[in-house]
Each structure stands twice: as C-alpha cells, then as structure tokens.
Amino acid sequence: MRKNLGQIEPLGVGLFLIFFSFLFFIFIFVIKSPLIVFTLICGVLIGLITLVNVDLALIILIFSMMLSPEIPLGNLSERAVVVRVDDLLLLTMFFFWLAKIAINKEMGLLRKTPLNSLIITYIIVYAISTIWGIVGKKVSLFSGIFYLLKYIEYYMIYFMTANSVHTHKQAKRLIIAMLVVCFITCVYANFTLAKYGRATAPFERGGEANTLGGYLVLMFALVLGSLIHKGVSRNKFFLGILAALIVFTLLNTLSRGSFLGFIMMFLVFIIFSKKKKLFLMGVLLISLVAVPLILPQKVIMRIQSTFIPGREYEKGQTQLPIDDSAAARLIGFQRVFEMWKKQPLLGYGATGVGFTDMHYALVLGEAGIVGFFLFIWTIFTIFKLGFKMLKQLTADWGKGLVVGYLAGLAGLLTHSISANTFIIIRIMEPFWLLTAVVMMLPRFSEAPGLGLSGIVISGENE
C-alpha cells in the first residue's frame, strides 16, 4: 500500500526544502532580473504543489506552456538562446517530483511504457554526439549543453505525466485544460494581427506564426476527435466554437507549412476514424471546391507566392520557380546533407549544424543516421500502438482521443518539412503530455467500458 504525503519522513522533506531554499536565495542574490526572481518564486510554489498534488501542478504547467513570456538572456551563443517561464517552472517541478519519488520510494522512478527505452536511447545518442562535438570544438559548450537540456525537457513532461496519470478522470482533466488554453491562445493570437500582420503565439518577440500553426494543427485534431466521438468534453457547443476559432486563427497565421499539415491531419483522421467518414469526406470535397471562393485574399496570395513564374532557383540541373522561403529550406537541407556525409554515424551534436528549418535534416545532421533511425522508429512505434488501441478500445472517448492524436501527429510530421517542429517547445510540451496520456490509456484501471481485458502492449500490463 502506498504511503501518502503525511506518512513521509519529515526529516527528509525538511532537509530537501532547506537545501532548495538555500539555492533559491543564491539565485535571487545573483540574478537581478525581476522576471527571473518572480519565476523562481512561482517555481518554488509549483514545486511545493507537486509534492502534494501532481495533477494540479500539471494543469498549471499546461497553462504556462502557451501563456508564459520569454526571459531575456541576451546573445549568449551563435544560435538563439530562448528561455521561457515554463522552462524554469518545468525544471523546478521536475526536481520536486524527483524528490517526492526519492522520499516515497514505492512510487517508482519511471512507470513502464512502450516508449521508455526508445526515448532514453535517443537521449543517450544525442548526448554522446553533443559531447563529441564539444570535444572536437564543433559545438560551443554553452549552446550545446543548453539545447541538449531543452530537448530532454520535453521528455521530462512525458515521464512525469505517465507516472502521474492513473485514471480516465485525470486524463480528461488534463485534456480539458489543454482545450481551454487553446481557446485563450487563439483569442490572444488574433489580436496580434495588427502588430505582425499574422496571428502568432502569445509573447513571441518578432512573431512566430509557424509555431502557432503547428500547435493549432495538433489541437484541431484533438477537438475533432472529441466532436466526432464522445470525447473528453461533451460540450459540443464549446468544441464547435473552438474548432471554428482554430481554423480562423490558422488561416491568419499565413503559414504554408501549417496549411499542408492541416490537410494531412484531416486526411489521416478520415482514414482512422470509423465514425462519420462520409460526412468528413463531404466536408473535405466541398472545402476543396469552395477554397477559391471562401478563403481570404491574403491567404490565397500567400499560397500562390510559393511559386513565382520567371523566378528560378537552381537545384542541381533543375530550375524551380519558388520563393526565397522555400529556396532557403532546400539550400539548408543541401548544406546539412553535405556536412552529414562527413560524419554520418552520430552527426555533429546539438547546434552542430547551425540552424535549418527542416526537422528531418536537423536530426540527421545533429544525431546522424543512428539518431535519425531512432526518431523514425519512435514515430513508427507510436503509430503501431495507436492502431492496436483503436482495434481494442471500446469506449468512444478513448477512440476519439487516439484518432485525434494520430491524425495530429501525421500533421506535425508534415509540418516538420518546413520547421523544426519536434524541438519547438510550444508544440512539443503539449504533444509529449498528450503522448503520455495516450500511452497510458490501456492501463486505466478505473475506466469503465474501455474494454481493456484483451489489451497487451509490449508486455507493459500491470
């Protein structure tokens, strides 16, 4: 029988809090930024909440994912260094969570999931390649370690969520919190139109419409899963309003990569969903026919600007009439590919190939063919497990969640052609939290009607 917090050894808790408080006051003394000091105070509070109620801490973290500002650090390396309030909150929460596990050993460090070994191996490969790049002076010490920790940060969310979510009620609370945050984000983003000319994510300096677009592709898939099935929220009016608001906001991002991701997401949703296929196909066909009539002119012009007659970009012996943005991605891919051929096995490490706006090229250049294979194998494993769940889950809300998740993942994979999608914090934090919830679906002991009796996933049943 598990110990509760009141039964935990008080001396251990006291020593930990004294040690953490000592470090905290050192930070306040050294760091002059009011925002950082405020964030550290909030971090301690969310850490204390984590000791008592991890569910509440996760909900607070969900709200901070999209609604927290950047912390200015200046030009600390050749590649942009961006720290957000939610970075510090997550790290603080993670260490308090580890302390709670250390005090209450019956909780266990990592709950078994089919993705654990893949994720840990991927982190090890990235760490080895980054350390090797630092030793070879191809990666700066600060930027290499900083970005390696940023990549690991996303998996912290996965492990904490997987360890903490045990029932369908917990899962539903987290998903509903994500939907509420999405609504707030869309409202906020549309107020950025006057400033940037495009909808962008909250508190983005200079505007990051492509980041917002990728996030909205994932969230629309989640909303659509709840609308078509009996989802985590049964308030169809709210879900319908949110779906319309997401589409409106997505169009205002003017992000062509996000438009492609949305189309792929919708197609995959139709394929996986067993409900209302004809309705969804009809919506798709009507939309394709009506696109020239219903889309805002600025969206049509943005799409048409991809291909410029008379404008030629040379790729080998081929001349392509594409704009600067598309050409830059192709040039970036060529540059990284040429670098990769010199270090094909483990690549150059985090930041070792500089900036490139294509995630597949980035993984290949930074982690080599080994890291690229692990990335693809992880995605393949997720889809394989998702297919298995769709066959064996009986609860409609569970199927809706899985279908939405898989369709959203397909959309993000398409989005990755024109962005570093799987290292963008505002996309990856909600994605990995959602991944953990989906991976835990077959193990919810209190989920009536889920039909779990026949589900066995990689020997991970409790």
Side-chain angles (χ1 to χ4, degrees), residues 149-328:
L149 290 175
K150 289 278 281 187
Y151 297 170
I152 295 173
E153 180 181 315
Y154 312 136
Y155 304 121
M156 291 180 187
I157 294 175
Y158 175 81
F159 290 128
M160 280 195 298
T161 306
N163 262 43
S164 305
V165 179
H166 299 277
T167 70
H168 71 293
K169 289 182 179 179
Q170 289 176 293
K172 287 185 176 184
R173 281 197 294 264
L174 295 179
I175 301 302
I176 290 172
M178 292 177 70
L179 296 177
V180 172
V181 170
C182 181
F183 181 86
I184 297 171
T185 299
C186 288
V187 172
Y188 181 100
N190 283 290
F191 281 102
T192 65
L193 287 170
K195 184 176 181 180
Y196 300 111
R198 305 168 69 179
T200 188
F203 303 108
E204 290 282 0
R205 290 184 294 174
E208 278 295 335
N210 207 20
T211 294
L212 178 62
Y215 166 77
L216 293 178
V217 168
L218 176 64
M219 293 308 299
F220 185 88
L222 198 58
V223 173
L224 191 60
S226 288
L227 274 171
I228 299 300
H229 297 76
K230 292 178 182 177
V232 292
S233 173
R234 298 194 178 187
N235 190 331
K236 298 295 184 180
F237 178 77
F238 169 73
L239 291 172
I241 293 295
L242 181 56
L245 185 58
I246 290 174
V247 172
F248 179 77
T249 308
L250 181 64
L251 290 175
N252 280 323
T253 64
L254 302 181
S255 169
R256 293 168 294 190
S258 301
F259 297 160
L260 283 175
F262 185 88
I263 294 170
M264 177 59 73
M265 174 274 297
F266 202 87
L267 287 172
V268 171
F269 193 97
I270 293 174
I271 293 171
F272 291 162
S273 180
K274 293 184 178 180
K275 300 188 72 174
K276 301 187 178 180
K277 275 186 182 288
L278 292 178
F279 171 76
L280 292 171
M281 291 175 66
V283 170
L284 179 63
L285 290 174
I286 292 171
S287 299
L288 291 175
V289 173
V291 156
L293 302 175
I294 62 176
L295 282 185
Q297 189 61 31
K298 64 179 181 180
V299 176
I300 295 174
M301 291 178 64
R302 177 66 174 167
I303 296 171
Q304 291 176 339
S305 69
T306 307
F307 300 97
I308 307 174
R311 180 80 174 278
E312 294 181 347
Y313 159 70
E314 292 188 6
K315 185 180 184 300
Q317 302 298 318
T318 306
Q319 293 183 329
L320 304 173
I322 57 179
D323 71 346
D324 291 340
S325 178

Side-chain angles (χ1 to χ4, degrees), residues 115-178:
L115 301 182
N116 282 12
S117 57
L118 284 170
I119 289 174
I120 292 171
T121 306
Y122 186 70
I123 290 173
I124 291 172
V125 168
Y126 241 104
I128 292 173
S129 62
T130 301
I131 292 170
W132 186 253
I134 292 171
V135 171
K137 297 184 178 180
K138 294 176 181 177
V139 173
S140 73
L141 177 62
F142 176 81
S143 61
I145 297 298
F146 176 83
Y147 273 91
L148 179 62
L149 290 175
K150 289 278 281 187
Y151 297 170
I152 295 173
E153 180 181 315
Y154 312 136
Y155 304 121
M156 291 180 187
I157 294 175
Y158 175 81
F159 290 128
M160 280 195 298
T161 306
N163 262 43
S164 305
V165 179
H166 299 277
T167 70
H168 71 293
K169 289 182 179 179
Q170 289 176 293
K172 287 185 176 184
R173 281 197 294 264
L174 295 179
I175 301 302
I176 290 172
M178 292 177 70

Side-chain angles (χ1 to χ4, degrees), residues 37-108:
V37 173
F38 174 75
T39 302
L40 288 171
I41 293 172
C42 292
V44 172
L45 291 175
I46 196 174
L48 294 173
I49 291 172
T50 303
L51 287 176
V52 180
N53 189 331
V54 179
D55 289 358
L56 179 58
L58 283 172
I59 289 174
I60 295 172
L61 183 63
I62 287 171
F63 275 83
S64 72
M65 288 176 181
M66 294 300 294
L67 305 175
S68 62
E70 294 180 10
I71 299 174
L73 294 180
N75 296 320
L76 300 180
S77 73
E78 66 281 358
R79 183 164 162 181
V81 175
V82 178
V83 176
R84 297 187 181 279
V85 169
D86 54 317
D87 289 311
L88 298 182
L89 292 181
L90 174 60
L91 286 173
T92 308
M93 179 179 169
F94 185 72
F95 283 117
F96 270 90
W97 176 69
L98 289 178
K100 184 175 182 178
I101 290 174
I103 295 168
N104 188 0
K105 294 180 181 179
E106 292 183 16
M107 290 178 60

